Amino acid sequence: FAEALTLAYHRTHGVDTRIARIFNTYGPRMRVDDGRVVPAFLAAADAGEPLTVHGDGEQTRTLCYVDDLVAGLLALLLADGDDVHDPVNLGGDHEQTMNELAASIVTLAGSASQVLHVERPTDDPQRRCPDLSRAGQLLGYAPQVSTTDGLTRTLDWYRVRG
């Protein structure tokens, strides 16, 4: 609804608008208790506690480090042309399973944590992977920070903060 309203306002009143669809962004300063997978996994692994994975853990996600998201948002804000008013997906391009993410975080944290599989919510999608082709063509957008580097930076921040 917000996208439709924004586009209608642009078309009716000529206001310069942008619509960014943000996918699974993470990084330092996220609250551990906000319910998002990266801070929850990092906190559990760092504490040596089990990492809770829903279902069989084979559902996939892409993650976008905050620096890449900010670069994409700035590129969208500064872009010119009629095409910039339609929605643009911003996110990561490395698709991985939740099991792979959990294993990566356990390794990065140097933890002995195990993975605990629990019932999967019915509204949990099997795959969440943005199509970044429009962002690439329109903005020259491509994520630069690898998942490993981003997770390491985020873990380091939590450890210094903790």
Side-chain angles (χ1 to χ4, degrees), residues 35-114:
R36 296 175 199 261
V37 69
V38 170
F41 278 10
L42 287 173
D46 203 34
E49 298 173 354
L51 280 68
T52 303
V53 173
H54 294 106
D56 64 6
E58 291 303 303
Q59 62 273 33
T60 63
R61 300 292 182 270
T62 61
L63 300 174
C64 181
Y65 189 69
V66 64
D67 291 3
D68 286 329
L69 175 66
V70 170
L73 290 171
L74 287 172
L76 179 59
L77 176 69
L78 299 173
D80 288 324
D82 293 332
D83 290 345
V84 299
H85 305 291
D86 292 326
V88 175
N89 294 340
L90 297 174
D93 59 358
H94 173 70
E95 191 171 6
Q96 62 189 323
T97 68
M98 291 293 91
N99 288 329
E100 291 167 339
L101 176 61
S104 293
I105 288 176
V106 166
T107 299
L108 288 172
S111 177
S113 293
Q114 300 296 311

Side-chain angles (χ1 to χ4, degrees), residues 3-17 85-87:
E3 288 180 6
L5 187 62
T6 301
L7 281 172
Y9 202 81
H10 163 71
R11 290 179 184 132
T12 303
H13 299 288
V15 173
D16 192 19
T17 60
H85 305 291
D86 292 326

